[in-house]
Amino acid sequence: MILFPPAKINLGLRVTAKRNDGFHNIESLLYPIPLQDVLEFREAAVCKLKLYGKPIPGKLSENLLCKTWELLKKHYDIPPVEIHLLKSIPAGSGLGGGSSDAAFFLKGLNDFFQLRIADEKLMDLAVQLGSDCPFFIQNMPAFVSGKGEITEAGRLDLSGLCLILVVPGVHLSTGHIFSMIKPGIPDLSISEIIKLPITRWQILLPNDFEKIVFTHYPVLAKLKQEFINRGTLYASMTGTGSALYGLFETKPEINNLAKYGTTYQYRL
């Protein structure tokens, strides 16, 4: 079976409270984008994982795909599989590639072995793999809250807009960044702001982590200003990673953005 797990961008990201379990409550809107990994698996005598493309830190045995198979094996009698992952979504960029791979693999195993697990149950399993994983089970625009595991349909359509995405060669530690954040309740929720014209988002729709990240990596602040100088409707860092994106009505000039990192462009 061949699957194409996509990346996502965050439209706004607020940290609203520190939880008793050590995590934080957040709110954001996640939106899938066309940047995709390629994941192939088949039944095998023993479990194997082979990686290609962009590097993934950590040991193979600790990869989220291995943990996904192990989690499902605890609940269902599934045989070993051989997995091949062609990585196109950069790790540590805030684009959710690892979570997407795990969620799509979970759905793929369900279909391949005809387990008939309902989406609600799949989402319960997915949250054990990562906070973003439940979003990718449905893979549609969604408001997320709690640790990111609570999802609600976003009903947002950005079709026709041009997305410019730049991924600098900076790998950010999510845990370290969260340790520096100061939670707060915003005057307007992200679900309220998203209903407003997109021309108002740049002022009203923040990513709380930008202040922290931009202080340590001023080049990322310069990159965001590059988007603004080109007339973006909305520009932001996505998640807690280093990737930044801009939404445009028409394709802007992007030639000199390459100095900041790998550049992608898509018509949504």
Side-chain angles (χ1 to χ4, degrees):
M1 176 174 280
I2 301 178
L3 307 168
F4 299 92
K8 58 80 178 169
I9 55 173
N10 290 72
L11 295 165
L13 176 54
R14 307 304 308 260
V15 181
T16 57
K18 179 73 177 290
R19 298 161 55 102
N20 292 332
D21 59 8
F23 290 93
H24 291 77
N25 284 332
I26 66 159
E27 62 174 32
S28 185
L29 188 140
L30 305 188
Y31 198 96
I33 62 172
L35 177 60
Q36 298 174 326
D37 289 338
V38 181
L39 174 63
E40 181 179 10
F41 70 92
R42 59 174 178 257
E43 191 172 338
V46 294
C47 277
K48 291 182 182 179
L49 172 61
K50 297 184 179 180
L51 303 177
Y52 312 88
K54 294 188 178 297
I56 302 175
K59 299 177 181 179
L60 279 181
S61 60
E62 297 172 352
N63 188 280
L64 203 52
L65 290 174
C66 295
K67 294 180 180 180
T68 300
W69 181 86
E70 290 167 359
L71 175 64
L72 202 60
K73 178 66 175 176
K74 289 180 181 178
H75 299 274
Y76 300 89
D77 185 21
I78 58 172
V81 291
E82 182 175 314
I83 312 160
H84 296 259
L85 176 65
L86 175 58
K87 195 68 182 164
S88 298
I89 304 171
S93 58
L95 293 166
S99 296
S100 183
D101 294 339
F104 269 66
F105 187 37
L106 191 62
K107 291 192 294 182
L109 290 169
N110 181 40
D111 292 340
F112 188 79
F113 292 115
Q114 300 181 5
L115 302 176
R116 298 183 177 86
I117 308 171
D119 277 1
E120 183 176 351
K121 175 63 175 176
L122 283 174
M123 292 179 74
D124 288 340
L125 291 168
V127 75
Q128 299 177 53
L129 298 166
S131 297
D132 284 347
C133 291
F135 161 75
F136 286 107
I137 295 294
Q138 296 182 323
N139 197 40
M140 296 184 294
F143 293 106
V144 298
S145 57
K147 294 186 295 183
E149 83 284 7
I150 302 171
T151 64
E152 178 186 352
R155 297 184 180 87
L156 177 67
D157 186 1
L158 300 177
S159 297
L161 294 183
C162 181
L163 169 72
I164 305 298
L165 174 69
V166 180
V167 184
V170 178
H171 187 114
L172 303 181
S173 167
T174 299
H176 179 61
I177 294 171
F178 264 104
S179 71
M180 294 186 285
I181 199 72
K182 294 182 179 180
I185 303 297
D187 294 330
L188 287 175
S189 69
I190 287 179
S191 59
E192 292 174 305
I193 297 170
I194 289 294
K195 296 175 184 177
L196 300 174
I198 192 172
T199 51
R200 299 186 63 187
W201 289 4
Q202 197 62 64
I203 296 174
L204 298 174
L205 189 63
N207 181 326
D208 284 348
F209 294 95
E210 285 188 352
K211 290 182 180 179
I212 297 170
V213 172
F214 288 177
T215 298
H216 290 81
Y217 298 96
V219 66
L220 300 183
K222 292 180 181 178
L223 173 55
K224 182 175 180 178
Q225 189 61 47
E226 290 272 12
F227 284 128
I228 293 171
N229 293 345
R230 285 164 171 74
T232 186
L233 296 170
Y234 178 70
S236 177
M237 189 174 80
T238 180
T240 59
S242 59
L244 279 94
Y245 67 90
L247 298 172
F248 297 83
E249 285 187 311
T250 58
K251 178 186 171 183
E253 175 58 53
I254 63 170
N255 287 343
N256 67 345
L257 291 180
K259 65 184 179 183
Y260 292 99
T262 306
T263 303
Y264 306 84
Q265 55 182 302
Y266 301 101
R267 182 67 65 178
L268 297 177

